[in-house]
Amino acid sequence: MAIGVAFGLMGAFFMAGLYVAAALGCLSLVIMYFFSDAPLWNIMANKAWESNTSFILVAVPLFVLMGELMNRSGMGEKMYQVISKWIFFLPGGLIHTNIVSCAIFAACSGSSVATSATISRVSLPSFRQRGYSERMVIGSLAAGGTLGILIPPSISLIIYGVLVEESIGRLYLAGFVPGILLAFVFMVMIAILALVWKDMAPKEEGASFKTVAGWVDRIVSLVGLLPMVALIFIVLGSIYAGIATPSEAAAFGVSGAFVLAVLMNSQGVTAPLLSKFLLMTGLINVVPDSFKEEMRSQRQPDRAVWLATLKLNGEIVQTAFISTIRTTGMIFLIILAAFTLSFAFARLGISQDIADQITSWDLSPTMLVLVLIVFYLILGTFMESFAMMVTTVPILLPTLEQAGVDLVWFGIIMVILVEAALISPPEGINLYVLHGVRQDVDREQAALANEIAKESTIADVWIGVLPFMACMGIVVILVMLFPQIALWLPDLVKGSR
């Protein structure tokens, strides 16, 4: 009885468009009120305290803030320009740049939404000027953004680790190879489609790989990747070296992102100080001749320059904090509601009934995972990915443990399925983020051209992501057939269990 009421109400709440946290919280209270004599308000208070005081969850707002600082400081734009110099020659041209840029940005931010928003805002105007297929461009941006929740540091892997009480470090290591493999499969698919449909992407021109000048240009441009490399080293290096926990590493990452954001947006102050330092030390003589005159002509910053620099950096930090608070509030409210629902299901025996029912089917671990893959693909078409994870994992955990499923291996499959949910029509959140950015770009370009902005529909976004969802299916199958794709690196670094 309780199971039927619970899932009936859950479906009704989500179909009615109720906010995820409100739907889960209301469902918890309703079923506890009618089917249990437990004191509801004490339970809510206890769960609010337990779920939101977990030390490991401190990493969530910190990684979100790090992504926001990177997004708003211009690091993503510089990275995109550098990568385009190296892979322009591939079939599909600069569409590959979206995937590589997203993969690198994901290794710093841990946020799918931040990755999609950053790279799409940088790239969309450029692709339109060059005449690329907009559906394929948007599809690659949507799919590339999802790499942010598989390639460490990943907020979703942290949440999953908390839900199943699994090592975050082991989960992070397990995400590396599948994440890189998924990016590679995306790029292969883009190349194949570009060879089949010649008009999908124009042939790009760039500095020749056969000349010294071309190589010098590319190698010098790698300086633009130094901020990203520094953040990856700070965050992941501190975790794997045993110097910091994921939460502490996130704090290091935020500090590094803040310093880099300020330096990148203070050129009016830093450039004159740098030129003065070079002149005083004599290092000006090793600077290329084309820059020497510019260095010597730098004037020391006056009060107006200092004030403008402080104002710009203040606005970057302020908007990053506001966006982080908004995102973190949403995540933690969902976590509170999900933990309360998990307690209600456990108290009423719903979780155990579901586990017993699935166990009675006598499925092998592989068959069980196949059933869950179909379940999550269907669920992802109408349910938001984060809510899908926190709602279902606590319920399925007893079943997975009884079947002897490796929780690290299943966690990677789970996260890939959550990625698919992020770009799964009609509810994928990345689709709406991209559609919003696309409309902003339309309005900006129309304003510059003094024209009326054209109307665009989200249908193009839905069509563009379908080939990339097929790529995710391929990677899920490979991870299922060859579990060592996910387990080899954590076993190598931390030892087999």
Side-chain angles (χ1 to χ4, degrees):
M1 178 67 175
I3 295 178
V5 171
F7 284 97
L9 284 175
M10 186 182 292
F13 286 154
F14 284 124
M15 293 299 289
L18 202 63
Y19 286 114
V20 171
L24 300 182
C26 290
L27 176 60
S28 306
L29 295 176
V30 168
I31 63 174
M32 288 292 285
Y33 181 81
F34 285 104
F35 297 100
S36 172
D37 57 357
L40 296 178
W41 303 116
N42 289 350
I43 292 169
M44 290 293 289
N46 289 337
K47 285 301 162 186
W49 178 259
E50 290 172 9
S51 60
N52 290 327
T53 55
S54 172
F55 176 70
I56 194 67
L57 289 178
V58 174
V60 174
L62 291 174
F63 277 133
V64 172
L65 177 57
M66 185 174 76
E68 289 291 340
L69 288 170
M70 294 166 61
N71 179 15
R72 299 172 192 280
S73 64
M75 293 186 207
E77 183 173 355
K78 290 185 180 298
M79 174 193 68
Y80 192 87
Q81 293 170 351
V82 172
I83 294 171
S84 65
K85 293 176 180 291
W86 287 85
I87 60 176
F88 66 89
F89 63 93
L90 295 174
L94 297 184
I95 300 180
H96 294 284
T97 309
N98 292 339
I99 303 300
V100 178
S101 299
C102 287
I104 295 175
F105 198 90
C108 301
S109 73
S111 168
S112 175
V113 173
T115 302
S116 290
T118 301
I119 305 302
S120 59
R121 183 163 289 280
V122 172
S123 63
L124 275 176
S126 176
F127 280 113
R128 285 188 172 172
Q129 293 171 4
R130 288 174 162 84
Y132 279 80
S133 166
E134 190 150 321
R135 287 179 175 176
M136 185 55 61
V137 170
I138 292 176
S140 67
L141 290 167
T146 63
L147 296 170
I149 65 172
L150 183 59
I151 296 177
S154 163
I155 294 172
S156 293
L157 284 176
I158 292 175
I159 302 300
Y160 176 82
V162 170
L163 292 174
V164 302
E165 299 181 356
E166 186 58 74
S167 164
I168 306 299
R170 189 174 284 274
L171 285 167
Y172 272 9
L173 288 166
F176 263 115
V177 176
I180 295 170
L181 175 63
L182 184 58
F184 175 75
V185 173
F186 283 162
M187 294 179 69
V188 170
M189 185 272 296
I190 291 169
I192 292 172
L193 292 180
L195 291 172
V196 174
W197 286 284
K198 303 291 187 183
D199 58 346
M200 186 187 86
K203 185 175 177 58
E204 289 289 341
E205 298 293 336
S208 174
F209 283 86
K210 298 179 181 180
T211 63
V212 174
W215 278 102
V216 169
D217 179 50
R218 273 184 290 275
I219 292 171
V220 170
S221 72
L222 291 175
V223 174
L225 290 181
L226 289 180
M228 294 292 185
V229 173
L231 282 178
I232 293 171
F233 179 79
I234 289 170
V235 174
L236 299 182
S238 61
I239 293 174
Y240 298 135
I243 299 171
T245 65
S247 299
E248 294 164 344
F252 290 154
V254 168
S255 302
F258 174 78
V259 171
L260 291 170
V262 170
L263 290 175
M264 290 181 66
N265 290 277
S266 304
Q267 293 182 359
V269 173
T270 57
L273 294 177
L274 176 61
S275 64
K276 184 177 181 180
F277 171 77
L278 293 175
L279 287 168
M280 289 176 61
T281 59
L283 293 174
I284 188 73
N285 295 318
V286 302
V287 174
D289 293 337
S290 57
F291 292 103
K292 284 182 181 177
E293 191 61 35
E294 183 179 348
M295 288 288 184
R296 291 193 176 98
S297 64
Q298 291 284 349
R299 297 182 179 180
Q300 293 306 302
D302 55 18
R303 184 171 181 272
V305 172
W306 278 101
L307 289 176
T309 301
L310 288 173
K311 181 181 178 182
L312 174 61
N313 284 291
E315 289 174 350
I316 290 172
V317 173
Q318 181 184 26
T319 54
F321 269 103
I322 291 172
S323 183
T324 299
I325 291 168
R326 186 183 299 115
T327 302
T328 303
M330 178 269 294
I331 291 174
F332 274 66
L333 193 58
I334 293 175
I335 290 174
L336 164 61
F339 272 76
T340 306
L341 181 64
S342 176
F343 174 84
F345 275 23
R347 173 76 182 229
L348 298 174
I350 294 175
S351 298
Q352 191 59 47
D353 288 344
I354 294 172
D356 291 342
Q357 178 62 42
I358 298 177
T359 303
S360 68
W361 296 344
D362 196 25
L363 299 174
S364 66
T366 303
M367 286 302 298
L368 172 61
V369 173
L370 282 173
V371 169
L372 293 179
I373 286 173
V374 175
F375 167 71
Y376 278 118
L377 288 176
I378 295 171
L379 200 61
T381 60
F382 62 87
M383 193 173 182
E384 192 271 327
S385 57
F386 183 73
M388 186 172 70
M389 177 182 289
V390 297
T391 303
T392 59
V393 169
I395 299 171
L396 295 171
L397 181 59
T399 306
L400 294 169
E401 289 176 334
Q402 287 180 23
V405 174
D406 188 301
L407 294 179
V408 172
W409 172 67
F410 180 75
I412 299 305
I413 294 175
M414 173 80 190
V415 169
I416 296 175
L417 295 173
V418 168
E419 289 184 14
L422 282 170
I423 61 172
S424 174
E427 287 295 323
I429 189 172
N430 274 24
L431 306 183
Y432 290 96
V433 170
L434 271 170
H435 186 54
V437 172
R438 180 191 187 192
Q439 290 179 319
D440 287 344
V441 170
D442 286 342
R443 285 190 288 268
E444 291 169 4
Q445 292 187 332
L448 290 173
N450 198 24
E451 299 173 348
I452 299 175
K454 68 175 184 178
E455 292 293 329
S456 57
T457 67
I458 199 169
D460 286 336
V461 187
W462 290 350
I463 295 170
V465 301
L466 293 179
F468 296 94
M469 290 190 69
C471 293
M472 290 179 176
I474 292 171
V475 174
V476 166
I477 292 170
L478 289 174
V479 173
M480 283 199 63
L481 293 176
F482 308 101
Q484 286 304 308
I485 292 175
L487 300 178
W488 168 75
L489 189 57
D491 287 347
L492 178 69
V493 175
K494 291 184 172 289
S496 58
R497 294 177 295 177

